[in-house]
Amino acid sequence: MDAIEKFTDIVNKSENIVFFGGAGVSTESGIPDFRSVDGIYNQQYKFPPEEILSNTFFRRNTEEFYRFYRNKMLFLSANPNATHIKLAELEKIGKVRAVVTQNIDGLHQAAGSKNVYELHGSVHRNYCMKCHKFFDVETIAMSNGVPHCECGGIIKPDVVLYEESLNNDVIDKSIKSISTADVLIIGGTSLNVYPASGLVRYFHGSSLVIINMAPTPMDKNADLLINEKIGEVFLKIKCEVN
C-alpha cells in the first residue's frame, strides 16, 4: 500500500478528522508566503515584513503598514484550490470536524468549510479602533493611505500582528477539536510559527498525518509522512461516505 492509499484508508475509516494548515495550503492558490523576499520587495520596502506586520509598526507607521498590507497581504482574486475544496467536501460528509488554519485569506470558507478556526484572524474582517464599526475587505482594498471610519477612527484589520496575542476563544476551540480528534492532518506548514504550531501537541488520537514539502519538528511522530504538494495529494484521494 503506497502513501496515497494509506492516506485514503485513514480518511475513510475516520469520522473525527481535524486539519491543521499553514501558508503552503494557500500558495497553491497563488498566495505567496509573505516571508519569502523577492526583488520587488527589496526595492519597495525599507523594513523586513516581520517588522512591518507588528503592532508597534502599525501604530507608528500606519500609512507604510497599509502600503505593504494592500500590496503583499490582500489577494482578493485568489480562489480555493484542491485542498480547500476537498476539506469542505469531507466536512459535508461528516469526516472533517474542524479546520484550524494559520492563514488569513478566508479560502476555506470560500470553498464551503463551516467550522474554521482562524488562529491569526482574517483580512475579511476590519474594525474601527474608535467605534468598532465593521468594514469588509473591499473597503480596505479600495481606500488610499490610512483608511478611516466616518467617526474619524482608524480602521484596523482583524489579523493578529506580531506583539499581539491570539484570540483566547479561538485557541480554546482549536485545542478542544485537536485533543478530541481521531485523526490530525497537518498540511502546508513547517510548524515554525508559535504559539499556533504548539497546538498540534494536544493531539492524542490514533493517526497523525503530515503532508508538507519540507521537514517539520513533528515528522518523527507522524504515522504517515507525505513530502508532496498538498493539493496534489488531496486530488488523489477517493473518499467514501460511511
Side-chain angles (χ1 to χ4, degrees):
M1 187 181 294
D2 67 15
I4 299 300
E5 290 174 329
K6 289 180 182 177
F7 183 40
T8 301
D9 187 58
I10 289 171
V11 170
N12 284 331
K13 288 180 177 178
S14 177
E15 293 182 352
N16 188 357
I17 301 169
V18 170
F19 178 81
F20 182 95
V25 175
S26 292
T27 53
E28 294 182 39
S29 289
I31 299 179
D33 182 342
F34 79 85
R35 289 177 183 79
S36 59
V37 178
D38 54 35
I40 295 175
Y41 173 86
N42 285 327
Q43 294 170 22
Q44 290 186 346
Y45 304 100
K46 301 176 182 178
F47 308 93
E50 287 83 358
E51 183 176 348
I52 296 175
L53 294 174
S54 69
N55 182 266
T56 297
F57 194 94
F58 174 80
R59 293 179 180 277
R60 293 179 179 175
N61 303 278
T62 312
E63 187 166 355
E64 182 67 7
F65 167 90
Y66 268 110
R67 191 167 77 90
F68 176 86
Y69 184 79
R70 291 189 187 95
N71 189 31
K72 290 291 184 178
M73 305 299 287
L74 297 183
F75 295 88
L76 304 188
S77 62
N79 295 310
N81 60 51
T83 303
H84 300 109
I85 293 168
K86 182 63 73 172
L87 287 169
E89 292 175 353
L90 291 172
E91 181 186 77
K92 190 173 182 179
I93 63 175
K95 290 187 172 296
V96 168
R97 298 289 181 88
V99 169
V100 181
T101 180
Q102 299 174 82
N103 297 331
I104 60 175
D105 49 52
L107 291 181
H108 285 292
Q109 292 93 328
S113 289
K114 306 297 183 186
N115 200 26
V116 181
Y117 300 129
E118 297 170 310
L119 295 173
H120 296 148
S122 173
V123 299
H124 294 277
R125 298 187 300 270
N126 305 272
Y127 297 94
C128 171
M129 297 176 69
K130 186 176 180 180
C131 73
H132 308 294
K133 180 180 178 181
F134 171 84
F135 292 88
D136 60 23
V137 66
E138 285 77 15
T139 300
I140 305 301
M142 298 301 292
S143 64
N144 294 309
V146 179
H148 285 83
C149 175
E150 294 88 341
C151 76
I154 293 174
I155 301 171
K156 183 179 185 294
D158 185 22
V159 299
V160 179
L161 301 177
Y162 287 97
E163 305 167 346
E164 293 181 333
S165 300
L166 304 188
N167 181 282
N168 286 330
D169 184 55
V170 174
I171 292 176
D172 290 344
K173 290 177 178 176
S174 299
I175 290 174
K176 183 177 180 180
S177 296
I178 291 170
S179 63
T180 58
D182 294 330
V183 174
L184 177 63
I185 303 170
I186 298 174
T189 173
S190 57
L191 295 177
N192 288 325
V193 178
Y194 286 85
S197 293
L199 300 184
V200 301
R201 300 190 181 277
Y202 285 91
F203 176 68
H204 302 291
S206 59
S207 298
L208 173 62
V209 179
I210 298 178
I211 310 168
N212 200 54
M213 294 292 289
T216 82
M218 292 289 287
D219 285 0
K220 63 183 180 297
N221 303 106
D223 297 289
L224 178 61
L225 180 62
I226 305 176
N227 296 126
E228 297 181 34
K229 287 186 176 181
I230 189 169
E232 294 177 4
V233 173
F234 273 98
L235 272 175
K236 295 174 184 175
I237 65 170
K238 304 298 181 183
C239 299
E240 302 169 359
V241 180
N242 293 337

